[in-house]
Amino acid sequence: MSAESTLLYLDGVSVSFDGFKALNSLSLVMMPGEMRAIIGPNGAGKTTMMDVITGKTRPDTGTILFEGDTDLTRLREAAIANLGIGRKFQRPTVFEPHTVWDNLELALKAPRRPLKTLTYAISRDDRSRIEEILDITRLSALRSRQAGSLSHGQKQWLEIGMLLAQDPKLLLVDEPVAGMTDAETEQTAELLCSIAGKHSVIVVEHDMSFVRALGVKVTVLAEGSVLAEGSLDAVSANQQVIDTYLGR
Amino acid sequence: MLLRFFLMGLDRKAGIVLTILAILAVAVPVMTLWVPADSPFHLSVFTVSLLGKYLCFALLALALDLVWGYCGILSLGHAAFFAIGGYAMGMYLMRQIGPRGVYGNPVLPDFMVFLNWKELPWYWWGFDQFWFAAVMVLVVPGALAFAFGWFAFRSRVTGVYLSIITQALTFALLLAFFRNDMGFGGNNGLTDFKDILGYDIQADTTRVALFVATVAALALSYMIASGVIASKLGKVLVALRDAESRVRFMGYDTESYKLFAWTLSACMAGVAGALYVPQVGIINPSEFAPASSIEAVIWVAVGGRGTLAGAILGAVLVNMGKSYFTGALPELWLFALGGLFVAVTLFLPKGLLGLGAQLKAKLPGRKASPLSNAQPADQKGA
Ligand SMILES: Nc1ncnc2c1ncn2[C@@H]1O[C@H](COP(=O)(O)OP(=O)(O)O)[C@@H](O)[C@H]1O
Ligand SMILES: [Mg+2]
């Protein structure tokens, strides 16, 4: 498959840590507007895959292209983020001393250079965009709370809200529902589905009912490469997948 | 725009700090120059210079708090910027001596004549002009900090490693300035100043004027610092202090943010040193001693890291203590300082300014907000 017209194109990406292959010739293609769920056992390399896309880890070999022509393996984290790739970490990381509002304001798409932020004054558009995100993430009432005092689930939503505020073309979401209650999980699935369409999304998740609720194409990773790809039903029926993952 | 910037930083705390400084700027001159010497309200010139010295340290502490409290950069070498600012001022004061030196050379300072130097080294050029020295007070510490920060931050040196290399920086400068052939007076440093801007440096009015200038510099720096903290840039700084990689993944080039705060802080430290030197009458390499930088860290910790006002309070209180101890029980001072640091770390993690919040949290029937003592974690991002 050629990289043209793809949003994200990974081909033969390998990463090893002290000889241990965390990614082993991984190939994956995402089209614009697509939402994809990635599942796989612990240590399969899901987080490492996000690390190489976002510039945190440099791959040993392989190609990573964004929008068909931008080579991500040469860019630093901030530059990659500014291309339009947003990331939510496995462990929620919001800026605890700041208010919910300030967290969103920091994430909001706006000039990122120090002299611009030194003189930044919030515009009417920015304000209404933040209001909108507060609304989507159900955090309106908590806008002036310090982010550190939010519940685990609220932090996760705030972080998703921060991703939305960045208005990225591609969102990478790592285990968003780990540690959430069933109700929160359900709301998170709704939230992500409402985001999809305008943005492309890659969600890594263990929780099968959550993946089912998303209802999107699934990629199964194991030992650093793709084991199977297709609808959840199709991959669940795949014997290899059952053996390495679902069967356990 | 500038006005908006300053207004942004004007919260209640800033109001209190600036009011106190304004009162000092008026009361101290009046009490020194106009209140008769036999009145209990009279201040001696000696006391004024001592207060001026404390406020120079307060400015150094403020500068340090900007990087330590808000960016998480624990500098163990900030006294280096202070000392460089001091040397720049000292060079100006040396050149003002003119032919009144012991050797009567109209151009060369005494120590150069003593070392048989025939002409002024190029880096002393221009220091006969006050404006030039004043610019150098900002530019030299700023440029050094920029160069140092550029390499350190780009290479992603953080935490303890960064602290160690800041300490190495000041130590290297200490050794360099000790050398006679550097042209900065070797271990004697620069001293025997006569006048500043044409005024006798020993005169009461000059001393009072220097004090008022120090208060003004501290007030202006406080306003700049709190304006920066209140801006979106300041919020980015606090964010990267706690979770730098998260800020990077949001598209901020965190290195340039740290570089901005670091360079600004070094310039403030330089100004502090420049105001310190005419008030104490000497600058020598001992200002570069690693212990000076560590003391500054203790002032900030005592007052309350990440509060700006706490840095000022801590610097003044600890130095008052030091003046007392070095007079009464000189051999105990270092123990007292070390003990103080341990005590503050253990019992007052947020310093004196955090004491109120800490007590409130302990009060029965009141639930502590889990965030009132959110400590900046040293995390590297998930
Ligand atoms: N920085 C690192 N250094 C060494 N080993 C790592 C590092 N990051 C990940 N690994 C290893 O790579 C493998 C894949 O990890 P990860 O991508 O986090 O898996 P997943 O997110 O799928 O559970 C694991 O065995 C992990 O221990
Ligand atoms: Mg993982």
Side-chain angles (χ1 to χ4, degrees):
Chain A
M1 168 151 200
S2 91
E4 245 172 277
S5 82
T6 61
L7 181 70
L8 183 68
Y9 178 89
L10 275 76
D11 190 31
V13 176
S14 298
V15 174
S16 51
F17 298 110
D18 307 323
F20 171 77
K21 284 215 158 190
L23 292 184
N24 188 0
S25 191
L26 174 75
S27 302
L28 184 103
V29 173
M30 286 275 296
M31 301 310 283
E34 187 183 347
M35 171 138 126
R36 178 78 59 90
I38 308 245
I39 61 175
N42 260 327
K46 305 180 297 289
T47 301
T48 308
M49 181 192 81
M50 297 201 166
D51 288 346
V52 297
I53 296 172
T54 54
K56 188 176 183 196
T57 303
R58 297 259 173 254
D60 302 333
T61 54
T63 314
I64 307 178
L65 298 177
F66 186 61
E67 298 190 302
D69 54 6
T70 311
D71 182 0
L72 297 184
T73 59
R74 296 175 187 284
L75 298 175
R76 297 164 70 98
E77 293 99 316
I80 293 176
N82 286 324
L83 285 176
I85 299 184
R87 169 169 194 183
K88 199 199 97 43
F89 287 91
Q90 199 163 335
R91 187 156 54 93
T93 32
V94 294
F95 304 123
E96 309 223 328
H98 288 315
T99 61
V100 168
W101 180 282
D102 283 349
N103 269 274
L104 292 172
E105 190 181 299
L106 283 176
L108 199 68
K109 193 174 187 174
R112 292 296 202 233
R113 305 200 57 77
L115 291 180
K116 297 280 188 202
T117 52
L118 185 62
T119 54
Y120 173 83
I122 193 162
S123 68
R124 190 189 299 260
D125 282 354
D126 289 356
R127 212 180 275 283
S128 62
R129 181 76 187 123
I130 294 179
E131 291 286 354
E132 196 183 319
I133 293 167
L134 283 171
D135 219 40
I136 301 176
T137 52
R138 303 159 205 254
L139 293 169
S140 284
L142 302 171
R143 65 183 65 200
S144 1
R145 277 272 289 280
Q146 271 181 317
S149 69
L150 299 179
S151 75
H152 178 76
Q154 287 164 341
K155 280 185 192 168
Q156 297 276 27
W157 289 335
L158 175 57
E159 213 185 342
I160 294 172
M162 287 163 72
L163 272 186
L164 285 177
Q166 267 175 267
D167 192 24
K169 293 173 184 147
L170 173 65
L171 282 83
L172 306 174
V173 187
D174 202 352
E175 304 203 18
V177 300
M180 280 193 178
T181 64
D182 287 351
E184 285 173 335
T185 301
E186 205 173 298
Q187 287 171 356
T188 307
E190 273 171 39
L191 180 58
L192 285 177
C193 288
S194 71
I195 292 167
K198 263 193 268 172
H199 311 262
S200 306
V201 187
I202 298 182
V203 192
V204 163
E205 194 42 76
H206 270 302
D207 186 320
M208 279 304 153
S209 59
F210 174 76
V211 175
R212 188 166 298 282
L214 293 178
V216 297
K217 184 169 168 185
V218 175
T219 297
V220 186
L221 283 195
E223 292 172 9
S225 39
V226 175
L227 190 64
E229 217 165 60
S231 71
L232 184 60
D233 290 329
V235 300
S236 324
N238 181 314
Q239 192 56 44
Q240 258 187 309
V241 176
I242 296 172
D243 290 346
T244 57
Y245 182 40
L246 299 172
R248 281 196 267 177
Chain B
M1 196 194 78
L2 207 59
L3 184 70
R4 195 181 68 81
F5 171 77
F6 282 126
L7 285 181
M8 217 162 42
L10 270 187
D11 54 3
R12 205 167 60 98
K13 197 173 61 182
I16 297 173
V17 171
L18 294 177
T19 308
I20 294 175
L21 290 178
I23 292 172
L24 279 177
V26 176
V28 168
V30 170
M31 288 162 77
T32 317
L33 299 177
W34 291 295
V35 173
D38 50 10
S39 153
F41 294 104
H42 176 76
L43 273 187
S44 71
V45 173
F46 173 77
T47 314
V48 174
S49 285
L50 197 61
L51 286 177
K53 197 173 102 172
Y54 294 163
L55 294 188
C56 291
F57 289 145
L59 181 49
L60 172 60
L62 181 80
L64 180 61
D65 195 26
L66 188 61
V67 290
W68 187 30
Y70 295 92
C71 314
I73 304 169
L74 173 54
S75 171
L76 294 180
H78 243 54
F81 304 123
F82 179 89
I84 290 172
Y87 266 97
M89 178 58 85
M91 287 161 82
Y92 163 75
L93 295 172
M94 287 308 270
R95 304 250 1 227
Q96 292 314 102
I97 298 173
R100 287 170 294 176
V102 177
Y103 298 107
N105 188 310
V107 177
L108 294 190
D110 278 349
F111 74 88
M112 291 188 190
V113 180
F114 183 75
L115 291 171
N116 268 323
W117 291 27
K118 293 296 168 236
E119 54 188 289
L120 202 65
W122 61 268
Y123 47 83
W124 275 74
W125 294 350
F127 278 95
D128 50 335
Q129 302 291 326
F130 181 80
W131 68 265
F132 181 81
V135 170
M136 289 302 128
V137 159
L138 292 168
V139 166
V140 181
L144 176 68
F146 187 88
F148 176 91
W150 201 86
F151 286 109
F153 302 149
R154 294 276 139 188
S155 329
R156 306 234 166 135
V157 181
T158 53
V160 191
Y161 302 100
L162 186 60
S163 300
I164 291 171
I165 60 171
T166 56
Q167 178 101 95
L169 171 77
T170 195
F171 193 66
L173 287 167
L174 170 73
L175 297 181
F177 274 76
F178 258 125
R179 297 161 52 98
N180 278 329
D181 53 8
M182 276 284 285
F184 295 107
N187 66 347
N188 296 320
L190 310 176
T191 187
D192 289 331
F193 309 133
K194 303 280 190 255
D195 35 50
I196 180 166
L197 287 169
Y199 297 99
D200 177 5
I201 207 162
Q202 303 294 347
D204 292 1
T205 44
T206 313
R207 307 232 129 212
V208 169
L210 282 168
F211 174 82
V212 174
T214 309
V215 174
L218 183 58
L220 182 65
S221 302
Y222 186 91
M223 290 195 323
I224 293 174
S226 67
V228 166
I229 299 306
S231 73
K232 186 169 170 188
L233 183 146
K235 290 173 191 165
V236 174
L237 292 179
V238 170
L240 75 83
R241 172 193 73 190
D242 297 350
E244 182 165 358
S245 67
R246 180 74 182 82
V247 182
R248 269 194 206 117
F249 288 119
M250 258 167 31
Y252 291 98
D253 180 19
T254 54
E255 287 85 25
S256 42
Y257 278 82
K258 290 199 276 190
L259 201 52
F260 173 87
W262 176 252
T263 306
L264 176 65
S265 167
C267 292
M268 286 182 183
V271 172
L275 287 160
Y276 173 81
V277 168
Q279 296 185 78
V280 298
I282 183 167
I283 172 79
N284 63 31
S286 69
E287 299 298 336
F288 286 106
S292 318
S293 296
I294 293 171
E295 270 189 49
V297 169
I298 298 178
W299 307 334
V300 177
V302 167
R305 174 189 169 195
T307 58
L308 295 185
I312 297 176
L313 183 70
V316 172
L317 289 182
V318 175
N319 279 294
M320 280 167 64
K322 182 176 184 173
S323 298
Y324 168 77
F325 263 95
T326 45
L329 311 151
E331 61 287 351
L332 286 186
W333 168 240
L334 275 183
F335 294 102
L337 189 67
L340 181 67
F341 187 54
V342 173
V344 165
T345 314
L346 288 180
F347 305 114
L348 284 179
K350 301 207 74 190
L352 289 173
L353 276 208
L355 192 59
Q358 219 176 324
L359 288 179
K360 224 184 260 173
K362 284 230 173 82
L363 236 62
R366 273 228 211 178
K367 201 167 152 279
S369 134
L371 243 129
S372 60
N373 35 31
Q375 281 292 312
D378 228 357
Q379 67 122 300
K380 305 244 177 295

